[in-house]
Every structure is written in structure tokens, then in C-alpha cells.
């Protein structure tokens, strides 16, 4: 350590952060209006079992909450209880539509505004120890003030609520089942994958946090250090993220044995799917993993509005089986359920490693050199927007592969395929890089290229290096973000590598050049995982 990142001038970085924050916050607030405030109509019928209450959280911090009980509750029997922490920046009415459905099905439901947001007290701790302690305090309150059954306790949430639910399952043995939607297992691998700051994701989270809550002093300093690319603080920031990552609490979570269902979108630009899949494989209790098209929280969004939604339907089935003992078949289904971005029904697999059982390598034989600091036109899109367009309109980020400037983008292409290539899982890049600088960033993109040369983004991922000897080659191994995508017959795959993407902070000094080579002793390739035929 002890080195400091060399990157774009700070004035340019500040301008980039301001621009990104403005756009991302605007999108998030629009999404919040749709996802959080639309269910208000459901709350007007308080005589139907909805109560708004104050709950004393950790240290006595007031948490604003609402409680929905079954209509026939008369104090003579107990019901399974579901606790729902709100998503980042969302108000306490976020889950009312689903809470009513659960109550109608015989559950007590307690939803509360996470500390530091809206009317709840305290400061935003980013799923820190006070947030985890809050979850247990809410369970205590539910057992004391509602007809909740202490032997049948579940937690669920979207995004921030998902992360808190998973962490709580490692600290409170009373929790028997969890449904974590669009959440994180590894916070570091989510917003700092490839040792690269995910600029738009961090800006959106930070911006909306300031607008709707009260960030703690620790969060303010961590966000400042993160966006400033201060490598002197890297170890400290990683430790901060590890404390808030269920993947680092795996032993406790497995020991407590809660049944855990994970759901996420392939294109989640806040919490990419790789870290969820890795966490799922290490769980030892009852478990289920679902991936669908979309971006952050878009796979669950219609369910928050009370509309039919596959994720929420399966969440109800998960709780019915594990908290009520319902024989609804969910335990007999293949536990890994995937839906391709390009269409079709669900595919079931026995585990994650079976998803991309076949492998096809594309050789990257030709050495190529690119100049850094210029966006070639290949990029991963815009946080929260681009992958939502892919989900609803089948319009992923696109680029004209023949027109990409070869001075700023390295390009390799496969042959045209005679049959459909069903990409499933995690593509992996292995190459040799030589830089004329000690630090730098590259971004790899895998495109589906049609007959006219238009490439549709299949997957991508960033990679940053520091402390390298200029002019000395070094190996790079990079996992692209996991996906499910069918490449039509007659198309080809293209790997593109450049050095700038608006999603990320890049670390290429002025005048930096990267050379990609394929030594005979260590050939370069991209490994593409394919579904078994």
C-alpha cells in the first residue's frame, strides 16, 4: 500500500461525479415514486388490519413501521411473521401491497423504515451492526405486540432490505426463512469488482442517501475516500465492506440454518449477479437461486405495485413451505432457476456450476495496442436504465463493431456460428497485458454481432491494476458478469477491450498505452460458458 491512484484530473473527476450523481439520483427518485409511493392507496384502509407504529430499535432509535395482520386475527391463535426492512431510500410504505397479500394468506407482516432514512431515527449505517441489531429488535417487538409465532419467523427485502435480512439470519437464530431480492452477498465485489470503483452505482447510492436520509460520519468519509480513489484507504474501505457482507458471515448463516432464497437480475448495475451465485454455492441449508432479465430491483418492481410478479410469487411459496409446512413442490424443483435475457421460459439446474457446463474458447491470437483515456464507444450503458431497456424492450447497450476505433479499442471476433449459442453463466478473459504506466484500467465487453456488424452487449466487466512495472508483461484473469443470452445462428461473438466506461472510475494516466498479447507459452482467450444441448 502507500501508493496513491494516478487517474483523471480531480476537476474532471468531480465534474464526472456531479453529472453521474444528478442523472442517477433523478432516475432513482423517479423509480422511488413508482415503487414506493404508488401503494399509498392500499394504506388508506387502515381498518383492514394496517397499523402504523413506532418501534424502538438498537439503542432506542425510533424506527417507523407498519403492521398488517390477518383479517380473522382474534387473539386466539398465532401466525407466522414476516419482517421486511425497507430498501435504500424507500419510505416505510414500500411493501404494503405485498404485506397485504401476505396477511391475506395468514401472515403477520411488520415492515419498517431502515434507520437513518425518512422519519426513522439514527443515521445510515449501510447494514452495519446497528442495522442488524434493529432487525432483532423488530422481531422482539412483533412477538410482544402481535399474534406472531416465535417458531415461524421469516425476513425478506429488496436491495438494502435483502442485505440486512441475510446479515440478520447470521445473528438471530430465530429467523427460519429468508427471501433476499436484488441484494448483495459481497459488498466489495459489488461496487469494487476488478479493483475498480463502480462510479455510477456509488454516486446513485450516495446521492439518494443524502436526499432521503442522514448518512453517518463513517459513511460520508468512506464514500469520499472511495470516489477520490485514495489507495491509502483501500484496506480500510475493504474492511468496512467486509463487515457489511453476508459472504463474510457465511459460517454463522450456515450454522443458524435458515432456508434462503436469492433472486436477482442479470443486468443489476448495483449488485452484479456473480457475487450472489458464489454466495449461493457456499450455503449449506435449504436454498434457491433465481436470475431474470433486468437491472437493479426491476425484476421485483411490479410486485411492489401489487401486480403479478414471478419473484414475489416464489417468495410466497418459499415462506409457505418453510414457515407453514405447505407441500407446494418448491422443494422438489431444481433449485437454480434462470430466465434468458433473449426470451423463453425458465430453465432449472441442480446447482450453479451446472449452468455453463460446456465451454467454448475464442482465441485472442493477434497482439493489439490501444491508447487510453478515450471512450471507444463500447460501454456498459447507464445504471438502472440500460438493462431495464434490455428487460422490457430487448434493447441492450449496442455498438457498431466495425466502426470502433482500433486505436482505442482492441477487437477480436469468433467465426460465424452455424447454430444458436446458448451462453449461460460466467465468461472469463485470460490475456497478457503490457502497460507503459504502473497503473491502469481496462474494460472487457462480449458482444453478439449480427450480419450488419451491430453488436449487442452480452456481458462486460472492469479491471484495474496498480504497482506494475512499466514495460513488463503481466497476466490478467477477469470474470465477466454472469448472464444468460442466446446468440442466434449466423451471428458471431466479439470481445472488445477499451479503457473508459462511464460506469466506472478509470485509472489510466495521461499518455497511457496498453498492449494485449498472446504468448505461445500462455495463449490469450475468452472462455464462453454454454448450456448443455
Amino acid at each position: 500500500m502507500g501508493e496513491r491512484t494516478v487517474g483523471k484530473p480531480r476537476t474532471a473527476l468531480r465534474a464526472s461525479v456531479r453529472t453521474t450523481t444528478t442523472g442517477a439520483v433523478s432516475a432513482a427518485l423517479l423509480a422511488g415514486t413508482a415503487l414506493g409511493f404508488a401503494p399509498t392507496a392500499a394504506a388508506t384502509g387502515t381498518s383492514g388490519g394496517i397499523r402504523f407504529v413506532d418501534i424502538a430499535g438498537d439503542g432506542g432509535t425510533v424506527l417507523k413501521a407498519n403492521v398488517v395482520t390477518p383479517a380473522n386475527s382474534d387473539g386466539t391463535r398465532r401466525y407466522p411473521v414476516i419482517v421486511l426492512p425497507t430498501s435504500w431510500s424507500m419510505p416505510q410504505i414500500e411493501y404494503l401491497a405485498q404485506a397485504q397479500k401476505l396477511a391475506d394468506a395468514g401472515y403477520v407482516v411488520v415492515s419498517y423504515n431502515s434507520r437513518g432514512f425518512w422519519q426513522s431515527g439514527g443515521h445510515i449505517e449501510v447494514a452495519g451492526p446497528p442495522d442488524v441489531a434493529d432487525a432483532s429488535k423488530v422481531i422482539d417487538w412483533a412477538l410482544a405486540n402481535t399474534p406472531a409465532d416465535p417458531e415461524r419467523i421469516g425476513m425478506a427485502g429488496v436491495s438494502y432490505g435483502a442485505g440486512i435480512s441475510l446479515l440478520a439470519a447470521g445473528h438471530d437464530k430465530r429467523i427460519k426463512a429468508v427471501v433476499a431480492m436484488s441484494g448483495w452477498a459481497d459488498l466489495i465485489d459489488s461496487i469494487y469488482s476488478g479493483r475498480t470503483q463502480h462510479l455510477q452505482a456509488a454516486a446513485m447510492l450516495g446521492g439518494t442517501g443524502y436526499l432521503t436520509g442522514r448518512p453517518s460520519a463513517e459513511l460520508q468519509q468512506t464514500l469520499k475516500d472511495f470516489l477520490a480513489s485514495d489507495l491509502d484507504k483501500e484496506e480500510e474501505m475493504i474492511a468496512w465492506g467486509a463487515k457489511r457482507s453476508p459472504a463474510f458471515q457465511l459460517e454463522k448463516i450456515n450454522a443458524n440454518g435458515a432456508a434462503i432464497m436469492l433472486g436477482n437480475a442479470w443486468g443489476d448495475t448495483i449488485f452484479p449477479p456473480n457475487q450472489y451465485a458464489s454466495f449461493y454455492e457456499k450455503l449449506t441449508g435449504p436454498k434457491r437461486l433465481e436470475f431474470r432479465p433486468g437491472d437493479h430491483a426491476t425484476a421485483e418492481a411490479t410486485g411492489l405495485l401489487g401486480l403479478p410478479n414471478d419473484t414475489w410469487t416464489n417468495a410466497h411459496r418459499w415462506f409457505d413451505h418453510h414457515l407453514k409446512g405447505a407441500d407446494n413442490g418448491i422443494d422438489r424443483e431444481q433449485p437454480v432457476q434462470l430466465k434468458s435475457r433473449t426470451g423463453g421460459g425458465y430453465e432449472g439446474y441442480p446447482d450453479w456450476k451446472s449452468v455453463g457446463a460446456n465451454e467454448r474458447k475464442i482465441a485472442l491470437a493477434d497482439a493489439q495496442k490501444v491508447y487510453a483515456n478515450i471512450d471507444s464507444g463500447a460501454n456498459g450503458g447507464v445504471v438502472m436504465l440500460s438493462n431495464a431497456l434490455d428487460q422490457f424492450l430487448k434493447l441492450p447497450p449496442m455498438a457498431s463493431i466495425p466502426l470502433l476505433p482500433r486505436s482505442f479499442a482492441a477487437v477480436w471476433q469468433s467465426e460465424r456460428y452455424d447454430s444458436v449459442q446458448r451462453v449461460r453463466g460466467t465468461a472469463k478473459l485470460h490475456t497478457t497485458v503490457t502497460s507503459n504506466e504502473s497503473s491502469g484500467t481496462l474494460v472487457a465487453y462480449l458482444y453478439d454481432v449480427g450480419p450488419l456488424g451491430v453488436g449487442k452487449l452480452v456481458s462486460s466487466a472492469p479491471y484495474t491494476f496498480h504497482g506494475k512495472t512499466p514495460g513488463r508483461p503481466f497476466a490478467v484473469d477477469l470474470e465477466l458478469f454472469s448472464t444468460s443470452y442466446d446468440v442466434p445462428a449466423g451471428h458471431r461473438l466479439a470481445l472488445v477491450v477499451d479503457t473508459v466506461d462511464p460506469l466506472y472510475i478509470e485509472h489510466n494516466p495521461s499518455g497511457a498505452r496498453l498492449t494485449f498479447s498472446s504468448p505461445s507459452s500462455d495463449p490469450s482467450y475468452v472462455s464462453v460458458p454454454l448450456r448443455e444441448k
Side-chain angles (χ1 to χ4, degrees), residues 328-503:
N328 55 19
I330 197 166
D331 57 318
R332 295 188 294 275
E333 296 172 358
Q334 296 275 42
V336 176
Q337 294 285 323
L338 313 180
K339 196 169 187 180
S340 174
R341 290 167 45 204
T342 43
Y346 286 94
E347 301 169 2
Y349 299 85
D351 48 40
W352 176 249
K353 64 178 177 289
S354 300
V355 171
N358 290 335
E359 179 184 270
R360 187 163 193 163
K361 288 186 177 181
I362 301 171
L364 312 178
D366 301 327
Q368 300 192 38
K369 179 171 70 175
V370 299
Y371 293 89
N373 299 309
I374 300 294
D375 190 340
S376 70
N379 66 68
V382 178
V383 68
M384 294 292 295
L385 176 62
S386 297
N387 291 311
L389 291 175
D390 182 34
Q391 175 185 0
F392 296 111
L393 302 176
K394 298 293 188 288
L395 291 175
M398 291 184 278
S400 174
I401 304 305
L403 296 182
L404 291 176
R406 295 318 197 251
S407 295
F408 308 117
V411 180
W412 298 267
Q413 297 192 71
S414 72
E415 75 283 4
R416 294 190 187 278
Y417 297 116
D418 295 331
S419 60
V420 175
Q421 303 295 294
R422 304 190 188 280
V423 180
R424 300 290 187 273
T426 309
K428 299 174 183 178
L429 169 66
H430 174 75
T431 190
T432 296
V433 177
T434 306
S435 174
N436 65 331
E437 299 285 351
S438 61
S439 293
T441 297
L442 59 93
V443 186
Y445 309 89
L446 188 65
Y447 283 99
D448 159 26
V449 185
L452 298 180
V454 175
K456 294 183 176 182
L457 188 64
V458 176
S459 184
S460 63
Y463 181 92
T464 294
F465 58 88
H466 297 292
K468 299 298 182 183
T469 302
R472 179 177 296 176
F474 59 94
V476 168
D477 287 286
L478 174 63
E479 287 192 351
L480 277 61
F481 299 135
S482 304
T483 194
S484 177
Y485 185 101
D486 294 345
V487 179
H491 288 212
R492 65 179 74 198
L493 284 168
L495 182 79
V496 176
V497 183
D498 71 2
T499 61
V500 176
D501 190 310
L503 286 171

Side-chain angles (χ1 to χ4, degrees), residues 141-423:
W141 184 93
L143 296 178
N145 294 277
T146 75
D149 186 340
E151 300 301 319
R152 297 185 291 169
I153 298 171
M155 284 194 69
V158 175
S159 185
Y160 194 45
I164 291 173
S165 296
L166 287 172
L167 287 164
H171 287 79
D172 195 322
K173 295 180 179 180
R174 296 174 297 179
I175 299 170
K176 297 298 189 291
V178 171
V179 176
M181 297 167 274
S182 290
W184 76 92
D186 188 331
L187 192 58
I188 304 157
D189 199 36
S190 293
I191 61 173
Y192 194 49
S193 70
R195 210 180 177 188
T196 308
Q197 294 95 330
H198 293 211
L199 171 63
Q200 290 188 16
M204 192 197 79
L205 293 172
T208 54
Y210 275 101
L211 284 174
T212 61
R214 298 166 301 282
S216 66
E218 184 182 29
L219 171 57
Q220 293 182 51
Q221 186 62 50
T222 300
L223 190 62
K224 179 181 177 181
D225 294 339
F226 184 81
L227 293 175
S229 306
D230 188 351
L231 283 182
D232 289 340
K233 297 294 184 68
E234 185 180 41
E235 290 185 357
E236 184 178 324
M237 287 186 285
I238 288 174
W240 178 88
K243 185 187 297 184
R244 291 158 171 81
S245 296
F248 289 82
Q249 305 291 325
L250 189 66
E251 185 175 344
K252 292 181 179 179
I253 293 171
N254 282 335
N256 287 350
I260 295 176
M261 171 180 153
L262 306 172
N264 204 357
W266 292 118
D268 194 323
T269 44
I270 308 294
F271 304 128
N274 303 47
Q275 46 92 34
Y276 240 22
S278 175
F279 177 69
Y280 169 83
E281 284 289 87
K282 297 170 186 173
L283 291 171
T284 57
K287 58 184 180 178
R288 182 179 176 94
L289 176 67
E290 301 181 355
F291 282 133
R292 298 177 176 86
D295 206 312
H296 184 64
T298 63
E300 301 86 27
T302 56
L304 292 176
L305 301 177
L307 300 174
N309 180 275
D310 290 353
T311 310
W312 281 102
T313 295
N314 286 339
H316 286 237
R317 295 175 63 218
W318 190 254
F319 286 132
D320 286 349
H321 178 72
H322 291 286
L323 297 182
K324 289 183 175 182
D327 185 13
N328 55 19
I330 197 166
D331 57 318
R332 295 188 294 275
E333 296 172 358
Q334 296 275 42
V336 176
Q337 294 285 323
L338 313 180
K339 196 169 187 180
S340 174
R341 290 167 45 204
T342 43
Y346 286 94
E347 301 169 2
Y349 299 85
D351 48 40
W352 176 249
K353 64 178 177 289
S354 300
V355 171
N358 290 335
E359 179 184 270
R360 187 163 193 163
K361 288 186 177 181
I362 301 171
L364 312 178
D366 301 327
Q368 300 192 38
K369 179 171 70 175
V370 299
Y371 293 89
N373 299 309
I374 300 294
D375 190 340
S376 70
N379 66 68
V382 178
V383 68
M384 294 292 295
L385 176 62
S386 297
N387 291 311
L389 291 175
D390 182 34
Q391 175 185 0
F392 296 111
L393 302 176
K394 298 293 188 288
L395 291 175
M398 291 184 278
S400 174
I401 304 305
L403 296 182
L404 291 176
R406 295 318 197 251
S407 295
F408 308 117
V411 180
W412 298 267
Q413 297 192 71
S414 72
E415 75 283 4
R416 294 190 187 278
Y417 297 116
D418 295 331
S419 60
V420 175
Q421 303 295 294
R422 304 190 188 280
V423 180

